[in-house]
Amino acid sequence: MSEDKLACSVVITVYNAEKFIEQTVRSVMNQTVKNIEIICVNDCSKDNSVEIIKRLMTEDSRIVLLENDTNLKVSQTRNKGIQYSHANWIALLDSDDMWEPEFLERVIARRDETGGRVIHTSYRFMAHDGKILDSTFIVDDSITYKQLFKQNKILPSASFIEKSLLLKYPFYADNVHEDFVCWLSILKEINVAYGVKEPSMLYRLTEGSKSRNKFKAIKMSYNTYKAHGVPFFKRWYYTFCNAINGLKKYSKIKK
């Protein structure tokens, strides 16, 4: 399908995701928006992730499987999928998260309403086993470059971005919050991202996730601000703000 007929390219990074990958991909297959391509990029998985994806490919011709020759980790794996993509808009999805059926419909409508180049949605939390928790993170109608410094409110799996921006500002190294560096760089240029209030994504909480390992998250936040060129004292101030806001976010989750 040509670029002008594709609503977007969906890029799913895959590494040892056999427990969740079928649910994740099917949540994309079941979108109300159908004119998409689904790009799964396998980062040298050692489990049955590839076999599951290949089986789904027999059901849906929109699915494409790319394979890394070596383990590139999430940033470079995302970049590879974006570079391969054929649409002018990119939707990102981690292999353990899921979308509501109307996710793409809502972000496209918000883009058309605002003329925005970055759109993101509110989301609900789910436990590792898939149980939907009674907790939701509601995003603002919009967030500016300056507002983003105090808390990274844009989740990769809840984002919809103009491809040209991701090619100009690719995802960074994995010793930082790779998505946060990307969003800061993009919003420095365009200033504002627009939010969809309706929760449209399911974010899976895993015990080993970077966002839940508090000490590691603080260290990576500091490295993120450093990579973005934030002066030393402001770097520590924003790291503190981000840590406090992160604690507030996760403390509200009802298990």
Side-chain angles (χ1 to χ4, degrees):
M1 190 177 292
S2 62
E3 291 182 13
D4 59 336
K5 292 184 179 179
L6 279 172
C8 79
S9 299
V10 181
V11 176
I12 304 173
T13 52
V14 182
Y15 179 71
N16 291 346
E18 64 179 5
K19 292 182 180 179
F20 312 121
I21 190 61
E22 181 162 356
Q23 287 181 310
T24 298
V25 175
R26 286 197 182 278
S27 78
V28 181
M29 293 165 64
N30 293 332
Q31 288 295 295
T32 56
V33 174
K34 301 298 182 184
N35 55 327
I36 61 175
E37 65 176 351
I38 306 168
I39 304 167
C40 298
V41 191
N42 176 46
D43 193 24
C44 300
S45 295
K46 297 178 176 64
D47 61 3
N48 292 317
S49 296
V50 168
E51 287 73 16
I52 295 169
I53 294 168
K54 287 181 176 178
R55 173 167 53 78
L56 293 173
M57 290 172 70
T58 65
E59 299 181 30
D60 196 324
S61 62
R62 298 175 298 173
I63 302 172
V64 176
L65 175 63
L66 304 181
E67 299 248 29
N68 292 345
D69 294 326
T70 58
N71 182 256
L72 299 179
K73 297 188 177 179
V74 66
S75 294
Q76 296 305 316
T77 300
R78 275 195 191 127
N79 291 339
K80 180 175 179 176
I82 292 162
Q83 290 162 4
Y84 172 88
S85 65
H86 297 93
N88 294 322
W89 288 81
I90 302 293
L92 303 169
L93 186 57
D94 289 341
S95 58
D96 53 355
D97 296 331
M98 296 170 59
W99 286 343
E100 302 284 2
E102 300 82 15
F103 173 84
L104 288 175
E105 182 180 336
R106 289 168 180 161
V107 292
I108 290 171
R110 186 71 168 138
R111 176 202 64 188
D112 294 345
E113 174 192 353
T114 61
R117 301 173 71 187
V118 176
I119 309 295
H120 65 123
T121 78
S122 303
Y123 50 90
R124 294 188 290 163
F125 292 94
M126 62 178 170
H128 183 79
D129 61 3
K131 176 186 175 183
I132 308 299
L133 304 177
D134 187 23
S135 296
T136 304
F137 186 80
I138 303 296
V139 301
D140 301 320
D141 286 327
S142 64
I143 184 168
T144 65
Y145 173 61
K146 288 185 178 180
Q147 290 170 334
L148 187 65
F149 273 96
K150 291 186 178 181
Q151 185 179 11
N152 179 14
K153 294 185 176 183
I154 305 174
L155 206 65
S157 292
S159 64
F160 184 71
I161 314 104
E162 189 176 293
K163 179 181 175 180
S164 62
L165 292 171
L166 291 174
L167 292 176
K168 187 175 182 179
Y169 304 106
F171 286 97
Y172 203 75
D174 292 291
N175 64 333
V176 299
H177 291 299
E178 74 286 341
D179 58 304
F180 198 10
V181 174
C182 182
W183 308 147
L184 286 168
S185 299
I186 289 174
L187 261 63
K188 186 177 182 180
E189 176 176 325
I190 69 171
N191 188 47
V192 63
Y194 293 95
V196 176
K197 291 282 192 181
E198 186 72 24
S200 304
M201 193 271 287
L202 295 171
Y203 177 52
R204 192 184 304 270
L205 297 170
T206 57
E207 293 302 321
S209 68
K210 290 183 290 186
S211 55
R212 302 199 77 196
N213 184 324
K214 295 178 181 60
F215 177 77
K216 185 175 183 180
I218 290 171
K219 182 179 179 180
M220 291 178 73
S221 291
Y222 178 86
N223 289 339
T224 296
Y225 296 120
K226 183 179 180 180
H228 191 62
V230 177
F232 180 78
F233 290 109
K234 282 189 176 182
R235 202 182 303 164
W236 279 111
Y237 169 70
Y238 287 127
T239 298
F240 175 77
C241 292
N242 207 37
I244 294 299
N245 287 324
L247 287 171
K248 289 179 180 178
K249 173 181 173 180
Y250 288 102
S251 67
K252 294 178 182 178
I253 297 174
K254 301 174 183 178
K255 297 183 179 180

